[in-house]
Amino acid sequence: MTTTMSPIPEHVPESEEPSDRSAAVRPVRLIHTESTTEIPVHLLFRDAPGPAPVRLRPAVVSRRADADGKVPQGQGRSQGTGKRARSVVPQVDPELVERPARVLPGLAGVLAGVCGMAGCAVTSWWAGVLPPPVAEALGPAARAGAAGLGPAQWAAYAGAGALGLIGFGGLARGRTGRAWVLGLFGRYRGTVRRTGLMWINPLLLRRRVDVRLRHWRGEPVRAADRSGVALRVAVLVVWRVRDTARATLGVEDHEAYLRACVEAALVRVPVAAPGAGKGAVEATQDALTRLVAADTAPVGLEVFAVRPVRVEYAPEVAAAMHRRRIAALDAQHRASVLGSVVDSVEDTVTRLTTRGLVELDDYERKVLVKDLTVAFCAGRGEAGP
């Protein structure tokens, strides 16, 4: 294939005009350096080369440094590396860990309280302010030791009264499955898990925490299955408080936090649809348990199981899914009936031909198969419910 340029008449000066006017005018090249060459056909239809691929470096997202100018570990490069970024688990103050508090046996508090009451009685006898019945019972001995209310008597009253208040005021009864979280002026001072009568400093603030194995069944929560169909799921959560310090002081309300974690896990995990098999239900249960346990571990909660106890379609899709399930069951039933009919027809024709009862050509075989299929289908339809 050749490329040519259209002939364009060239202006020739008069001094250079040829003598023969009748001669044909020679085509003049617009570009004097042009030449006619052949171009291979395959080059004309070659696709234009695409842009060369450019390799990009992974994006690096920097984290804000702390007060010391250091970047926390594990927070450097998280995007652009081709790996899915993991969800950040909230962390609580690492120093906030449950530790046993210092308490005394209850007998010590009782003795202190009795000593305080005895000291108040002796001080009253010393000051001569005993009640009249007591004074009459003691007789002259009560009036002989009367010294009146002075500074010494008032100081003795104050000391004995304080001893009695501290002794009886610090008595507490520990119960099985309950714990006391103690604090003094906003500072954590320890946890008491002992049972029975004990003496605790009455200046400490006490918070009772239930550490027994507990279960919680929530109200139906919105969720979705693997196909994105809206569901309503009610779950049963088996849990207990493992670290009383973090559960009480690390979060405002650990029970409300647990409910929120369960709702968040139901949003992230596809729930097995109603009527699913045992394997799908167990997979959903394991995934929910792992997520909720990981979210609640930093606040001192131990989750043993998160089990869906009731799964149903949302009201807006319940009717449509019911019709869809009925249609699927009907199609499955029709397929099973058709398969059994075909097997019966094949078995009947095979027996007739192998035993030599009939000799059939292709046309007769087709007619027999057709008649038997119609007969068996009609019989199955009449026998059905």
Side-chain angles (χ1 to χ4, degrees), residues 50 60 109 112 179 181 186 197 222 254 257 262 271 304 324 347 354 382:
V60 178
V181 177
L197 187 63
R222 297 185 66 87
H254 59 274
Y257 183 79
V262 171
V271 181
F304 297 96
R324 178 180 177 183
D347 183 58
T354 55
E382 294 176 357

Side-chain angles (χ1 to χ4, degrees), residues 102-125:
R102 297 179 180 178
V103 296
L104 296 177
L107 182 60
V110 173
L111 291 178
V114 171
C115 292
M117 293 179 61
C120 290
V122 172
T123 304
S124 299
W125 174 79

Side-chain angles (χ1 to χ4, degrees), residues 11 34 46 57 105 111 117 122 133 142 160 181 187 197 216 255 276 279 312 314 320 324 336 383-384:
H11 178 70
E34 70 175 353
R46 185 178 60 179
R57 295 183 178 179
L111 291 178
M117 293 179 61
V122 172
V181 177
R187 184 179 180 183
L197 187 63
W216 165 68
E255 295 185 5
E312 58 186 12
R324 178 180 177 183
S336 63

Side-chain angles (χ1 to χ4, degrees), residues 160-201:
L163 181 62
L165 290 176
I166 292 175
F168 288 121
L171 293 177
R173 182 181 61 176
R175 299 180 180 179
T176 303
R178 305 292 178 90
W180 294 97
V181 177
L182 308 180
L184 179 62
F185 303 117
R187 184 179 180 183
Y188 173 63
R189 303 299 297 177
T191 300
V192 179
R193 289 180 178 262
R194 295 176 56 180
T195 58
L197 187 63
M198 68 190 76
W199 182 85
I200 302 175
N201 186 352

Side-chain angles (χ1 to χ4, degrees), residues 213-216 236-240 302-307:
L213 185 65
R214 304 170 64 183
H215 69 278
W216 165 68
L236 176 67
V237 184
V238 182
W239 64 285
R240 72 178 178 184
E302 186 175 6
V303 178
F304 297 96
V306 181
R307 301 188 181 96

Side-chain angles (χ1 to χ4, degrees), residues 56-64 71 74-82:
L56 300 178
R57 295 183 178 179
V60 178
V61 180
S62 60
R63 298 290 183 177
R64 182 176 298 178
V71 179
Q75 297 184 358
R77 302 176 180 177
S78 60
Q79 297 181 0
T81 58

